[in-house]
Amino acid sequence: MFKLKSFYVHAFIYVIGLLIYVLKDYYGVPFNFFPIRCINSVVMVIWTSVFLVSAIDLFASYKIFDEEWEERKMKSLLDKKTITQKWE
């Protein structure tokens, strides 16, 4: 629940940052105060990458590593633990 809420907060802030970037670079709106002045293409590429990775981590990891996968992995680890090691 906390991961989902923090993702939506990050998405909201990202949309605001993207809107400011588009207004500044493509429409020439003069934002000359410190944090806004530093938003450029490099910052937006990095921020977009981080945002996409967090979205993939949140939504795709549940599909790839679902409960069935977790049960299989747990069973495999427990089976390895119960196998006795033979020393010669």
Side-chain angles (χ1 to χ4, degrees):
M1 183 68 177
F2 178 72
K3 282 179 87 173
L4 188 63
K5 181 180 177 183
S6 65
F7 173 76
Y8 284 128
V9 169
H10 185 197
F12 180 72
I13 294 169
Y14 173 74
V15 167
I16 291 172
L18 188 63
L19 181 66
I20 290 170
Y21 170 73
V22 167
L23 287 174
K24 186 178 133 205
D25 279 3
Y26 294 107
Y27 292 106
V29 177
F31 292 119
N32 292 325
F33 46 94
F34 170 66
I36 306 297
R37 183 177 54 219
C38 296
I39 295 180
N40 57 16
S41 298
V42 174
V43 171
M44 289 310 295
V45 166
I46 293 171
W47 196 0
T48 302
S49 302
V50 169
F51 181 71
L52 290 176
V53 166
S54 67
I56 290 170
D57 178 46
L58 182 65
F59 295 114
S61 67
Y62 289 123
K63 303 239 187 246
I64 296 170
F65 302 115
D66 58 352
E67 289 180 14
E68 182 181 314
W69 176 85
E70 187 177 348
E71 289 174 10
R72 284 193 321 258
K73 189 66 174 175
M74 186 74 78
K75 185 177 184 306
S76 134
L77 290 172
L78 289 174
D79 287 344
K80 284 182 184 178
K81 189 175 183 179
T82 58
I83 295 175
T84 58
Q85 194 173 37
K86 295 182 181 181
W87 295 92
E88 294 183 22

